[in-house]
Every structure is written in C-alpha cells, then in structure tokens.
Amino acid sequence: HVQLVESGGGSVQAGGSLRLSCEAPKYLYTGYCMAWFRQAPGKEREKVANIRTGSGLTPYYADSVRDRFTISQDNPNGTLILQMDSLTPEDTALYYCAAGLNGDRWASCRTGAYRYWGQGTQVTVS
C-alpha cells in the first residue's frame, strides 16, 4: 500500500505564500512522476504542476500558476514540495499530491494517469 501524506495547507491572505509538502515512499523520489493537483468546490480537478523526480528535467506548470508556484524536491530527503507565492482567492482549493503512473512508468508525466493519491490539504486564500 503506497501512502502519500500532504501537509502545509492553511489560510492566508491574498498575496501571501504557502509551502506544501508531500511525503511518499522513498523509491518514488527517483525516476517517477510526481505531481500536485487541486480541486475547488464545484470545479473539476486540475493539475497544477508535475515533475519527474531526481531527473533535473524542466517541470510542467499549469498556465494559471506558472511564475507563482514552484514544484521541487527537498534536499536531502527528496520530499515533494510546492512553493506557492502571490496567492489569490482563485487558488483556494483542496490540493492533492499524486505519484506514479498507471501502466508505463516512463510515459509522459504530463499526460499520464496517476496511480497513487494523497488525502489532500486545504488551501484557503482570502
């Protein structure tokens, strides 16, 4: 059983910052797709950003968060991080960590279907 645990959510005023963390089994920290998704009430889930862990490849960002959010891995333990700056009320959502792909592990992190999901952490911007 693969468990992903998000932390770091909370309430913040517009313009503020939050840092989300996702702890996962260590094998996922090298060579696997990991991503952050979010879902606001009444809206579909959307991908915020993804990364292939340990690869050094350029991450993917949704247009809505590019230049404000940064996905990375914490050194030295590899924990997945989402640094969120210049937050707006439109960023209010439940944020999920996801990892691993169904099927081909080496498929595109951007388009592949993620296999493992965390329970989510709430981000509220007012």
Side-chain angles (χ1 to χ4, degrees):
H1 176 68
V2 175
Q3 186 174 14
L4 307 181
V5 180
E6 303 98 336
S7 62
S11 296
V12 65
Q13 291 189 337
S17 298
L18 284 173
R19 177 182 167 96
L20 305 183
S21 297
C22 174
E23 293 191 22
K26 292 191 180 301
Y27 78 89
L28 288 172
Y29 293 154
T30 303
Y32 283 83
C33 296
M34 293 192 75
W36 290 97
F37 289 77
R38 67 185 180 185
Q39 187 166 20
K43 294 187 177 181
E44 292 188 356
R45 185 174 63 195
E46 67 167 337
K47 182 187 289 183
V48 173
N50 67 239
I51 193 172
R52 187 170 288 278
T53 54
S55 70
L57 295 174
T58 301
Y60 161 80
Y61 295 96
D63 289 344
S64 57
V65 306
R66 188 172 292 116
D67 297 327
R68 298 188 301 121
F69 291 11
T70 303
I71 187 172
S72 64
Q73 290 181 264
D74 183 59
N75 289 318
N77 58 21
T79 303
L80 188 71
I81 302 294
L82 184 68
Q83 177 66 39
M84 305 186 296
D85 299 318
S86 302
L87 286 161
T88 73
E90 287 69 37
D91 296 314
T92 295
L94 190 60
Y95 282 71
Y96 297 92
C97 174
L101 298 181
N102 288 318
D104 183 0
R105 169 186 170 184
W106 298 104
S108 169
C109 296
R110 180 170 179 176
T111 59
Y114 284 75
R115 183 173 181 182
Y116 306 115
W117 293 82
Q119 293 298 307
T121 185
Q122 179 67 38
V123 171
T124 303
V125 185
S126 59

